[in-house]
Amino acid sequence: MPSSASTRDQTLLSPISIPETTITRQEWVYRQLKEAILSGQFVPGRSVTLRGIAAMLDVSPTPVREALRRLVAERALEAHGNRRISVPQMTREKLADICAARVSLETLAAECALPAIDSKRLAHLWRLNEQVDEAVENRDLGAYLRRHREFHFTFYDVGRTSVLMPLIESVWLQFSPFMRLAIDHIGVDYLVDRHAEALHAVERHDIGALRFALEADVREGLGSLTEADWKSLETETD
Amino acid sequence: MPSSASTRDQTLLSPISIPETTITRQEWVYRQLKEAILSGQFVPGRSVTLRGIAAMLDVSPTPVREALRRLVAERALEAHGNRRISVPQMTREKLADICAARVSLETLAAECALPAIDSKRLAHLWRLNEQVDEAVENRDLGAYLRRHREFHFTFYDVGRTSVLMPLIESVWLQFSPFMRLAIDHIGVDYLVDRHAEALHAVERHDIGALRFALEADVREGLGSLTEADWKSLETETD
DNA sequence: GGCTTGGTTTTGTGATCACAATTTACCAAC
DNA sequence: GTTGGTAAATTGTGATCACAAAACCAAGCC
């Protein structure tokens, strides 16, 4: 996006002044960084410098500062006392808390979404789930992370999005960098999910089964790291 | 805080360089605004201008911009497409979602906190609850909001704070401006809470009763507005 | 060798400026 | 009185600069 020419020239193209959110540089930087974090391109522990990001994205430090503040507020990044910002490190306790929060928020979101999932949307979810499985078969970690996220967010995101979705997104931003690392470590082959089980529960309008499937999906997916996994992960990052 | 002289001079006073977070202006502005929002000094719908806040707090626009970005990220404020920031308006749907999210998050937080609440902490919570009741008796709305928040946050805030507490705080930031308005409208006398019931449940280590009390506390406190209340609230803000 | 000590470099912070977009004010025309 | 359009004021955005704090690095000391 960063072109010296003003980015707002194209507003001339929208005749009757459609809202057409003219994107600011700050917003653009924010989205770039968020996407990078969610797709696991940021390693836990790495420190993020203002001027570094600014140079990388070819913008001035000003919009970067604001984007970083936003991400810190959403707990995607961590601000230390020394005025330095870094990608947060994961701990056993934090992971347990994240799992608990995910179960709590996402089962609630699924329950809210359930009545609004019609057959068209259900078919779409089945298609997305196929793409998740394809990514696993192709051993494409990047695609897996993207598809996996797309499946969950599409599931929950049917109206009523203003309160719950930002909370869920904040939690995802917190575990995504770690998840990339963990899957890199244990291998894509050991990935399991309960997506099909959840969709079958949707078909039966069985809220109980839906909650159960989602809870299992979270706990088996994120919370199933054995002690040995942790040990080798920790020595790896040193 | 804004004094022309550098605020960091006082670091000379801390001899062995205690971390002693030297506060930045941006952080200070953020805290001022957050406290103002949580204590109901911001009316829903009011638009917040950068230079206005800067003048009010006697700082340059730069730190204000970052503080506002943070608050927008935490959903305390709302950024519109016209690049304008305002205190979000409440709707019936949003309030229902907020109640559901509060129940979900705060019962979980209470359950996590329960094992860590010893007799000393319990006594402290009883004392805080007394202060809530005092505020109601004195019809002091400002004190009530402060004490009420202090009670809940002290309750949940025993270790394990890094994931759940920010989520809870974000939700509180979203309903606080409205709560002030609503209580202003229905009167302080009609305030009820289940704090004592919750504390008794803690004494019995009865998780089920604790969750029940907290859910009732939320639903009766926030979610009990009748249709008539909404109508008059809406006409009032026009 | 480990630790301090000095200077250099890097980095975040905050103020200011220029600019563009938006809103507001105002005046003319119907 | 209402509408339409232009000018002025307000406001957010982004770049740049000066400064202070922190991190870095290398030589020196115990």
Side-chain angles (χ1 to χ4, degrees):
Chain A
M1 159 180 182
S3 58
S4 307
S6 170
T7 350
R8 288 145 204 150
D9 295 345
Q10 47 183 325
T11 54
L12 296 174
L13 298 179
S14 54
I16 321 285
S17 98
I18 300 169
E20 178 64 63
T21 46
T22 52
I23 202 107
T24 63
R25 284 169 122 78
Q26 171 269 132
E27 180 76 24
W28 181 78
V29 171
Y30 167 74
R31 291 186 193 174
Q32 296 288 318
L33 293 177
K34 186 166 85 171
E35 189 55 37
I37 292 170
L38 285 173
S39 58
Q41 295 171 41
F42 275 44
V43 184
R46 171 136 68 109
S47 78
V48 175
T49 68
L50 225 162
R51 286 170 166 91
I53 303 287
M56 178 189 308
L57 297 176
D58 191 31
V59 295
S60 91
T62 312
V64 177
R65 248 201 290 185
E66 297 179 52
L68 290 182
R69 276 283 170 242
R70 256 174 105 172
L71 291 164
V72 168
E74 291 175 322
R75 308 280 151 172
L77 298 175
E78 191 177 29
H80 302 84
N82 11 341
R83 298 168 162 191
R84 201 136 290 191
I85 292 176
S86 68
V87 184
Q89 212 100 35
M90 186 57 76
T91 65
R92 289 176 183 76
E93 296 75 30
K94 210 199 273 187
L95 186 62
D97 290 353
I98 285 176
C99 280
R102 274 197 68 189
V103 169
S104 179
L105 288 171
E106 295 186 34
T107 55
L108 175 60
E111 186 172 336
C112 289
L114 183 53
I117 300 182
D118 54 14
S119 61
K120 183 162 172 288
R121 210 172 275 276
L122 186 64
H124 185 210
L125 285 169
W126 277 115
R127 219 172 315 127
L128 289 176
N129 188 41
E130 276 173 31
Q131 296 178 335
V132 174
D133 293 339
E134 277 174 27
V136 172
E137 281 169 26
N138 299 337
R139 283 166 180 67
D140 185 342
L141 181 47
Y144 170 76
L145 289 171
R146 198 163 352 103
R147 299 307 191 181
H148 178 241
R149 171 161 49 99
E150 199 178 359
F151 175 83
H152 278 270
F153 279 37
T154 306
F155 200 127
Y156 312 139
D157 191 4
V158 279
R160 314 279 298 278
T161 155
S162 69
V163 176
L164 227 39
M165 283 297 285
L167 298 173
I168 293 174
E169 198 175 60
S170 168
V171 178
W172 278 65
L173 282 165
Q174 292 180 62
F175 72 74
S176 287
F178 168 78
M179 194 180 177
R180 164 64 176 251
L181 221 63
I183 297 179
D184 250 345
H185 180 251
I186 65 170
V188 187
D189 301 310
Y190 292 91
L191 287 173
V192 289
D193 66 54
R194 303 280 196 129
H195 295 174
E197 190 180 330
L199 291 179
H200 282 127
V202 171
E203 286 167 350
R204 286 180 280 123
H205 287 83
D206 185 342
I207 292 188
L210 177 55
R211 297 188 82 111
F212 183 85
L214 274 176
E215 171 155 4
D217 185 71
V218 171
R219 295 208 188 281
E220 292 169 8
L222 252 190
S224 69
L225 282 176
T226 65
E227 197 65 14
D229 292 328
W230 270 108
K231 282 281 195 298
S232 54
L233 258 176
E234 278 166 0
T235 55
E236 198 171 285
T237 53
D238 285 344
Chain B
M1 159 183 180
S3 57
S4 308
S6 170
T7 349
R8 289 144 205 150
D9 295 344
Q10 47 184 323
T11 53
L12 298 174
L13 298 178
S14 55
I16 320 288
S17 96
I18 301 169
E20 178 66 65
T21 46
T22 52
I23 203 110
T24 64
R25 283 167 123 79
Q26 172 267 131
E27 178 76 24
W28 180 79
V29 171
Y30 167 74
R31 291 186 193 174
Q32 296 288 317
L33 292 177
K34 185 166 86 170
E35 188 57 35
I37 293 169
L38 285 172
S39 59
Q41 294 171 42
F42 275 45
V43 183
R46 172 136 68 109
S47 76
V48 175
T49 68
L50 225 164
R51 287 171 166 90
I53 302 287
M56 179 189 309
L57 297 176
D58 192 31
V59 294
S60 92
T62 312
V64 177
R65 249 202 286 186
E66 298 179 52
L68 290 183
R69 256 325 145 222
R70 257 175 103 172
L71 291 165
V72 168
E74 292 175 319
R75 308 280 151 171
L77 298 175
E78 191 176 29
H80 303 83
N82 14 343
R83 299 171 163 186
R84 201 135 291 189
I85 292 176
S86 68
V87 184
Q89 213 100 36
M90 186 57 76
T91 66
R92 289 176 184 76
E93 295 76 30
K94 209 200 275 186
L95 186 62
D97 290 353
I98 284 176
C99 280
R102 274 197 69 190
V103 169
S104 178
L105 289 172
E106 295 186 35
T107 55
L108 175 59
E111 187 173 334
C112 290
L114 184 53
I117 300 182
D118 54 13
S119 61
K120 183 161 172 290
R121 212 172 273 275
L122 187 64
H124 185 210
L125 285 169
W126 277 115
R127 218 171 315 126
L128 289 175
N129 188 41
E130 278 174 29
Q131 295 179 336
V132 175
D133 293 340
E134 277 174 28
V136 172
E137 281 169 25
N138 299 336
R139 283 165 180 67
D140 185 342
L141 181 47
Y144 170 76
L145 289 171
R146 199 164 350 105
R147 299 307 191 182
H148 178 242
R149 173 162 46 101
E150 197 178 1
F151 176 83
H152 278 269
F153 279 37
T154 306
F155 199 126
Y156 312 138
D157 190 4
V158 279
R160 314 280 297 278
T161 155
S162 68
V163 176
L164 228 37
M165 283 297 286
L167 297 172
I168 293 174
E169 198 176 60
S170 169
V171 178
W172 278 65
L173 281 166
Q174 292 180 63
F175 71 74
S176 287
F178 168 77
M179 194 180 177
R180 165 64 176 253
L181 221 63
I183 298 180
D184 250 345
H185 180 251
I186 66 170
V188 187
D189 301 310
Y190 292 89
L191 287 174
V192 288
D193 65 57
R194 302 279 195 131
H195 295 175
E197 190 181 331
L199 291 179
H200 282 128
V202 171
E203 286 166 351
R204 285 180 282 124
H205 286 84
D206 185 342
I207 292 188
L210 177 54
R211 295 187 84 111
F212 183 85
L214 273 177
E215 171 154 4
D217 184 69
V218 172
R219 296 209 187 280
E220 292 170 6
L222 253 190
S224 69
L225 280 178
T226 67
E227 197 66 13
D229 292 328
W230 270 108
K231 282 282 195 299
S232 54
L233 257 176
E234 277 166 0
T235 53
E236 197 171 286
T237 53
D238 285 341

